Amino acid sequence: MTTSDRLIEATRELLWERGYVGTSPKAIQQQAGAGQGSMYHHFAGKPDLALAAIRRTAEELRGAAGQALDGPGSAYERIAGYLLREREVLRGCPVGRLTMDPDVIASDELRAPVDETIAWLRDRLASIVQEGLDRGEFDRPLVPADIAASVVATVQGGYVLARASGSTDAFDAAVRGLLALLAPRTDTA
């Protein structure tokens, strides 16, 4: 791994653990095993390095989400695959957590990859719901953009509830509840 990559990876971890304010250049250098000169040789400063780290984290999240959402199966199965995929629930979402960081939100440049990732996810989910509607997979009318927003809100809210309680139970319950609401009805009569 190059020094630049080590710095980016260290920053990604620290942003996830501590947020932007809690991530000092010294902590980044220590975690990366790189000196101050190396850091400033590769990056203009902390904001530049943080932007590279946020972009990489966003790309990774889109890749992981895309694997579930672009896989085989019905619209419901693909959404379920996304909701049930393995996550580090108690750590929270490495992208979503950045929305609670005032310095990230105050910076158009740092916020952009966060906004783009959330918009991508909502658009992708909405298109999957629309595909399901077009194929007659859902037995009731759904508004794709509303369902997409609900899925994202369930995941992000589930992270918050899980972190607050110190247990994944709240996250799991939110996912089960949303899937029960989305599941095609089965009439046994």
PDB file of all heavy atoms in Angstrom, residues 158-175:
ATOM      1  N   GLY A 158     -32.105   2.989  11.864  1.00  0.00           N
ATOM      2  CA  GLY A 158     -31.763   1.744  12.548  1.00  0.00           C
ATOM      3  C   GLY A 158     -30.368   1.786  13.141  1.00  0.00           C
ATOM      4  O   GLY A 158     -30.132   1.302  14.253  1.00  0.00           O
ATOM      5  N   TYR A 159     -29.434   2.390  12.391  1.00  0.00           N
ATOM      6  CA  TYR A 159     -28.081   2.560  12.919  1.00  0.00           C
ATOM      7  C   TYR A 159     -28.108   3.402  14.201  1.00  0.00           C
ATOM      8  O   TYR A 159     -27.462   3.059  15.195  1.00  0.00           O
ATOM      9  CB  TYR A 159     -27.178   3.275  11.915  1.00  0.00           C
ATOM     10  CG  TYR A 159     -26.637   2.435  10.783  1.00  0.00           C
ATOM     11  CD1 TYR A 159     -26.728   2.873   9.473  1.00  0.00           C
ATOM     12  CD2 TYR A 159     -25.980   1.230  11.015  1.00  0.00           C
ATOM     13  CE1 TYR A 159     -26.198   2.136   8.425  1.00  0.00           C
ATOM     14  CE2 TYR A 159     -25.446   0.485   9.976  1.00  0.00           C
ATOM     15  CZ  TYR A 159     -25.561   0.944   8.687  1.00  0.00           C
ATOM     16  OH  TYR A 159     -25.031   0.212   7.649  1.00  0.00           O
ATOM     17  N   VAL A 160     -28.837   4.489  14.173  1.00  0.00           N
ATOM     18  CA  VAL A 160     -28.903   5.389  15.332  1.00  0.00           C
ATOM     19  C   VAL A 160     -29.493   4.660  16.533  1.00  0.00           C
ATOM     20  O   VAL A 160     -28.956   4.722  17.651  1.00  0.00           O
ATOM     21  CB  VAL A 160     -29.712   6.666  14.998  1.00  0.00           C
ATOM     22  CG1 VAL A 160     -29.986   7.487  16.242  1.00  0.00           C
ATOM     23  CG2 VAL A 160     -28.986   7.501  13.950  1.00  0.00           C
ATOM     24  N   LEU A 161     -30.606   3.959  16.322  1.00  0.00           N
ATOM     25  CA  LEU A 161     -31.243   3.239  17.429  1.00  0.00           C
ATOM     26  C   LEU A 161     -30.343   2.137  17.980  1.00  0.00           C
ATOM     27  O   LEU A 161     -30.275   1.936  19.194  1.00  0.00           O
ATOM     28  CB  LEU A 161     -32.584   2.654  16.965  1.00  0.00           C
ATOM     29  CG  LEU A 161     -33.657   3.671  16.589  1.00  0.00           C
ATOM     30  CD1 LEU A 161     -34.863   2.967  15.987  1.00  0.00           C
ATOM     31  CD2 LEU A 161     -34.051   4.517  17.793  1.00  0.00           C
ATOM     32  N   ALA A 162     -29.650   1.442  17.093  1.00  0.00           N
ATOM     33  CA  ALA A 162     -28.748   0.378  17.535  1.00  0.00           C
ATOM     34  C   ALA A 162     -27.592   0.948  18.348  1.00  0.00           C
ATOM     35  O   ALA A 162     -27.231   0.414  19.400  1.00  0.00           O
ATOM     36  CB  ALA A 162     -28.232  -0.406  16.333  1.00  0.00           C
ATOM     37  N   ARG A 163     -27.002   2.031  17.856  1.00  0.00           N
ATOM     38  CA  ARG A 163     -25.886   2.643  18.582  1.00  0.00           C
ATOM     39  C   ARG A 163     -26.343   3.163  19.945  1.00  0.00           C
ATOM     40  O   ARG A 163     -25.637   3.031  20.939  1.00  0.00           O
ATOM     41  CB  ARG A 163     -25.257   3.767  17.764  1.00  0.00           C
ATOM     42  CG  ARG A 163     -24.427   3.221  16.589  1.00  0.00           C
ATOM     43  CD  ARG A 163     -23.865   4.324  15.718  1.00  0.00           C
ATOM     44  NE  ARG A 163     -23.064   5.302  16.423  1.00  0.00           N
ATOM     45  CZ  ARG A 163     -21.779   5.150  16.755  1.00  0.00           C
ATOM     46  NH1 ARG A 163     -21.153   4.049  16.453  1.00  0.00           N
ATOM     47  NH2 ARG A 163     -21.143   6.116  17.386  1.00  0.00           N
ATOM     48  N   ALA A 164     -27.549   3.746  19.988  1.00  0.00           N
ATOM     49  CA  ALA A 164     -28.060   4.297  21.244  1.00  0.00           C
ATOM     50  C   ALA A 164     -28.292   3.196  22.282  1.00  0.00           C
ATOM     51  O   ALA A 164     -28.040   3.400  23.467  1.00  0.00           O
ATOM     52  CB  ALA A 164     -29.349   5.073  20.997  1.00  0.00           C
ATOM     53  N   SER A 165     -28.752   2.037  21.815  1.00  0.00           N
ATOM     54  CA  SER A 165     -29.058   0.946  22.749  1.00  0.00           C
ATOM     55  C   SER A 165     -27.878   0.001  22.965  1.00  0.00           C
ATOM     56  O   SER A 165     -27.909  -0.821  23.881  1.00  0.00           O
ATOM     57  CB  SER A 165     -30.253   0.143  22.239  1.00  0.00           C
ATOM     58  OG  SER A 165     -29.912  -0.565  21.060  1.00  0.00           O
ATOM     59  N   GLY A 166     -26.861   0.101  22.102  1.00  0.00           N
ATOM     60  CA  GLY A 166     -25.727  -0.802  22.204  1.00  0.00           C
ATOM     61  C   GLY A 166     -26.051  -2.210  21.735  1.00  0.00           C
ATOM     62  O   GLY A 166     -25.354  -3.164  22.082  1.00  0.00           O
ATOM     63  N   SER A 167     -27.113  -2.344  20.942  1.00  0.00           N
ATOM     64  CA  SER A 167     -27.551  -3.656  20.471  1.00  0.00           C
ATOM     65  C   SER A 167     -28.072  -3.534  19.038  1.00  0.00           C
ATOM     66  O   SER A 167     -28.706  -2.532  18.679  1.00  0.00           O
ATOM     67  CB  SER A 167     -28.679  -4.176  21.371  1.00  0.00           C
ATOM     68  OG  SER A 167     -29.308  -5.293  20.775  1.00  0.00           O
ATOM     69  N   THR A 168     -27.846  -4.563  18.258  1.00  0.00           N
ATOM     70  CA  THR A 168     -28.352  -4.562  16.876  1.00  0.00           C
ATOM     71  C   THR A 168     -29.848  -4.857  16.809  1.00  0.00           C
ATOM     72  O   THR A 168     -30.437  -4.781  15.734  1.00  0.00           O
ATOM     73  CB  THR A 168     -27.603  -5.602  16.022  1.00  0.00           C
ATOM     74  OG1 THR A 168     -27.823  -6.904  16.567  1.00  0.00           O
ATOM     75  CG2 THR A 168     -26.112  -5.296  15.964  1.00  0.00           C
ATOM     76  N   ASP A 169     -30.473  -5.164  17.933  1.00  0.00           N
ATOM     77  CA  ASP A 169     -31.894  -5.544  17.932  1.00  0.00           C
ATOM     78  C   ASP A 169     -32.790  -4.483  17.297  1.00  0.00           C
ATOM     79  O   ASP A 169     -33.703  -4.820  16.538  1.00  0.00           O
ATOM     80  CB  ASP A 169     -32.381  -5.825  19.354  1.00  0.00           C
ATOM     81  CG  ASP A 169     -31.753  -7.078  19.952  1.00  0.00           C
ATOM     82  OD1 ASP A 169     -31.151  -7.874  19.188  1.00  0.00           O
ATOM     83  OD2 ASP A 169     -31.857  -7.247  21.180  1.00  0.00           O
ATOM     84  N   ALA A 170     -32.554  -3.219  17.592  1.00  0.00           N
ATOM     85  CA  ALA A 170     -33.393  -2.149  17.053  1.00  0.00           C
ATOM     86  C   ALA A 170     -33.251  -2.060  15.531  1.00  0.00           C
ATOM     87  O   ALA A 170     -34.238  -1.862  14.816  1.00  0.00           O
ATOM     88  CB  ALA A 170     -33.053  -0.813  17.701  1.00  0.00           C
ATOM     89  N   PHE A 171     -32.034  -2.195  15.035  1.00  0.00           N
ATOM     90  CA  PHE A 171     -31.805  -2.190  13.591  1.00  0.00           C
ATOM     91  C   PHE A 171     -32.540  -3.358  12.944  1.00  0.00           C
ATOM     92  O   PHE A 171     -33.273  -3.193  11.963  1.00  0.00           O
ATOM     93  CB  PHE A 171     -30.310  -2.271  13.291  1.00  0.00           C
ATOM     94  CG  PHE A 171     -29.979  -2.182  11.827  1.00  0.00           C
ATOM     95  CD1 PHE A 171     -29.662  -0.962  11.247  1.00  0.00           C
ATOM     96  CD2 PHE A 171     -29.983  -3.312  11.011  1.00  0.00           C
ATOM     97  CE1 PHE A 171     -29.353  -0.873   9.891  1.00  0.00           C
ATOM     98  CE2 PHE A 171     -29.680  -3.232   9.669  1.00  0.00           C
ATOM     99  CZ  PHE A 171     -29.365  -2.009   9.102  1.00  0.00           C
ATOM    100  N   ASP A 172     -32.353  -4.535  13.509  1.00  0.00           N
ATOM    101  CA  ASP A 172     -32.986  -5.736  12.953  1.00  0.00           C
ATOM    102  C   ASP A 172     -34.506  -5.625  12.964  1.00  0.00           C
ATOM    103  O   ASP A 172     -35.170  -6.025  12.000  1.00  0.00           O
ATOM    104  CB  ASP A 172     -32.539  -6.972  13.730  1.00  0.00           C
ATOM    105  CG  ASP A 172     -31.037  -7.232  13.619  1.00  0.00           C
ATOM    106  OD1 ASP A 172     -30.395  -6.732  12.660  1.00  0.00           O
ATOM    107  OD2 ASP A 172     -30.498  -7.931  14.507  1.00  0.00           O
ATOM    108  N   ALA A 173     -35.068  -5.070  14.033  1.00  0.00           N
ATOM    109  CA  ALA A 173     -36.521  -4.909  14.127  1.00  0.00           C
ATOM    110  C   ALA A 173     -37.031  -3.928  13.065  1.00  0.00           C
ATOM    111  O   ALA A 173     -38.068  -4.165  12.444  1.00  0.00           O
ATOM    112  CB  ALA A 173     -36.918  -4.437  15.526  1.00  0.00           C
ATOM    113  N   ALA A 174     -36.292  -2.848  12.854  1.00  0.00           N
ATOM    114  CA  ALA A 174     -36.703  -1.867  11.827  1.00  0.00           C
ATOM    115  C   ALA A 174     -36.692  -2.500  10.438  1.00  0.00           C
ATOM    116  O   ALA A 174     -37.619  -2.292   9.650  1.00  0.00           O
ATOM    117  CB  ALA A 174     -35.773  -0.649  11.875  1.00  0.00           C
ATOM    118  N   VAL A 175     -35.670  -3.287  10.153  1.00  0.00           N
ATOM    119  CA  VAL A 175     -35.579  -3.963   8.849  1.00  0.00           C
ATOM    120  C   VAL A 175     -36.724  -4.964   8.700  1.00  0.00           C
ATOM    121  O   VAL A 175     -37.395  -5.005   7.663  1.00  0.00           O
ATOM    122  CB  VAL A 175     -34.202  -4.641   8.680  1.00  0.00           C
ATOM    123  CG1 VAL A 175     -34.199  -5.612   7.504  1.00  0.00           C
ATOM    124  CG2 VAL A 175     -33.124  -3.580   8.504  1.00  0.00           C
TER     125      VAL A 175
END
